[in-house]
Amino acid sequence: MPELPEVETVARELRKLIIDKQIEGIETAWNRSFDNRCAIEVAKQKINSVQRKGKYLIIELTRSFLIVHLRMTGQLLYKSAGQTIDSIDHIRVIIKFKQGMLLFKDVRKFGRIYHVSNAVAFLDHIGTDALDTAVTKEHFYKLLKPSRMNIKAFLLSQKYISGMGNIYTDEALFLSAVHPAMISGNLSKKQADLLHDNMLSVLNNSIQNMGSTISDYRDPEGKKGLNQLYFNVYGREGLLCKTCSTPVAKIRLAGRGTHFCPQCQKV
DNA sequence: CTAATCACCTGAAGGC
DNA sequence: TGCCTTCAGGTGATTA
């Protein structure tokens, strides 16, 4: 479900809701979502900050960190004390405060909450966040140049640049008129620059729209995003390309459904 | 190094 | 109505 813009939206909303609150306790209903053996260590710590790297949320506590990955269907829902909870279905973890609670809801159980002492080290295996200013056009091109992977797989891999997922990859490639199967190292500097621009604009525009909701995504207050209203190719198989009116195609690439315009995007 | 497949899970949707 | 297959905003491990 969530890619960079959705996780960023969650981070921004969470900052308004849980910063400076003290955790009273943490309970687990599905033990693979969170290893409850560290519940005692987490309890009584205060939340200092909420940050993000790629698709990971970083909740800084007094002495340690909670790292959250929502994977496909994870949601972090804040409920103030007294607020009614419509359903406890699919609630895997509950983080309790005096003033309310943060529910980790996750239908497919792929999401995880990790408790770590060193967030930087824990997230060292993923590349620089796509919106980090360190990801300049030069840096981007240097990463692309030696790669023989197709560009779709390159953008989906989190080891070079982190945060891009299936939706925003398809959208950025469409806007750049680059075929998803094109070999990364074969992109011209001009194409790479354009793709860099579109990667950033696609992500930033979605953040402006509070992310994209296909089915499950919700922000901490339960609100849907609006960015799905502006997709050019994702989920538009068979519909006409907004640029040239050719039907949008869908193929399987990098193990994922991949949408593109066969007229606008040539290898 | 790269690509493809499976595994982890559940539920919605479509075909028959 | 019911059964079966396929698919889904992700990613890590394993196998060619």
Side-chain angles (χ1 to χ4, degrees), chain A residues 136-190:
Chain A
T136 59
K137 286 188 169 55
E138 293 310 318
H139 179 66
F140 188 56
Y141 190 58
K142 269 185 190 160
L143 292 171
L144 284 176
K145 204 60 192 300
S147 175
R148 308 311 302 166
M149 294 170 81
N150 63 63
I151 187 65
K152 166 96 181 192
F154 177 92
L155 291 173
L156 283 180
S157 165
Q158 304 295 296
K159 65 182 280 199
Y160 307 103
I161 303 288
S162 63
M164 292 290 279
N166 207 32
I167 293 177
Y168 302 105
T169 293
D170 285 1
E171 293 295 314
L173 290 173
F174 169 77
L175 292 174
S176 308
V178 170
H179 192 286
M182 187 169 174
I183 301 300
S184 303
N186 290 351
L187 267 75
S188 66
K189 180 68 164 68
K190 198 174 167 182

Side-chain angles (χ1 to χ4, degrees), chain A residues 92 94 231:
Chain A
R92 312 302 183 195
I94 303 178
F231 291 164

Side-chain angles (χ1 to χ4, degrees), chain A residues 40-238:
Chain A
I40 294 175
E41 172 61 25
V42 172
K44 302 305 172 188
Q45 292 205 60
K46 204 175 84 174
I47 293 172
N48 284 344
S49 74
V50 177
Q51 299 162 68
R52 181 188 60 74
K53 180 180 180 185
K55 301 171 194 174
Y56 287 87
L57 273 168
I58 304 162
I59 301 175
E60 182 197 359
L61 309 179
T62 313
R63 297 181 301 277
S64 54
F65 299 85
L66 287 173
I67 309 281
V68 182
H69 199 302
L70 303 170
R71 291 287 182 96
M72 295 291 267
T73 55
Q75 303 174 352
L76 283 174
L77 302 169
Y78 185 80
K79 302 291 177 187
S80 55
Q83 196 174 351
T84 53
I85 297 162
D86 23 282
S87 163
I88 60 162
D89 286 355
H90 316 301
I91 303 299
R92 312 302 183 195
V93 182
I94 303 178
I95 300 173
K96 295 184 170 176
F97 309 103
K98 272 200 176 70
Q99 309 92 330
M101 62 181 79
L102 190 60
L103 307 176
F104 180 59
K105 177 174 175 173
D106 186 17
V107 170
R108 290 179 69 182
K109 299 177 172 174
F110 290 165
R112 293 288 181 268
I113 301 180
Y114 306 95
H115 180 241
V116 304
S117 56
N118 186 334
V120 173
F122 184 78
L123 297 175
D124 198 45
H125 67 288
I126 65 167
T128 315
D129 185 83
L131 292 183
D132 191 306
T133 53
V135 183
T136 59
K137 286 188 169 55
E138 293 310 318
H139 179 66
F140 188 56
Y141 190 58
K142 269 185 190 160
L143 292 171
L144 284 176
K145 204 60 192 300
S147 175
R148 308 311 302 166
M149 294 170 81
N150 63 63
I151 187 65
K152 166 96 181 192
F154 177 92
L155 291 173
L156 283 180
S157 165
Q158 304 295 296
K159 65 182 280 199
Y160 307 103
I161 303 288
S162 63
M164 292 290 279
N166 207 32
I167 293 177
Y168 302 105
T169 293
D170 285 1
E171 293 295 314
L173 290 173
F174 169 77
L175 292 174
S176 308
V178 170
H179 192 286
M182 187 169 174
I183 301 300
S184 303
N186 290 351
L187 267 75
S188 66
K189 180 68 164 68
K190 198 174 167 182
Q191 286 178 306
D193 286 354
L194 182 60
L195 180 55
H196 178 271
D197 280 338
N198 286 318
M199 178 172 77
L200 299 192
S201 65
V202 148
L203 294 173
N204 282 317
N205 287 341
S206 182
I207 292 170
Q208 292 288 309
N209 293 319
M210 311 285 280
S212 302
T213 295
I214 309 297
S215 60
D216 295 282
Y217 172 70
R218 299 291 186 280
D219 78 3
E221 295 184 306
K223 290 182 302 211
K224 298 180 182 182
L226 293 171
N227 194 252
Q228 66 280 6
L229 301 174
Y230 307 101
F231 291 164
N232 287 298
V233 285
Y234 185 85
R236 299 191 71 250
E237 180 189 13

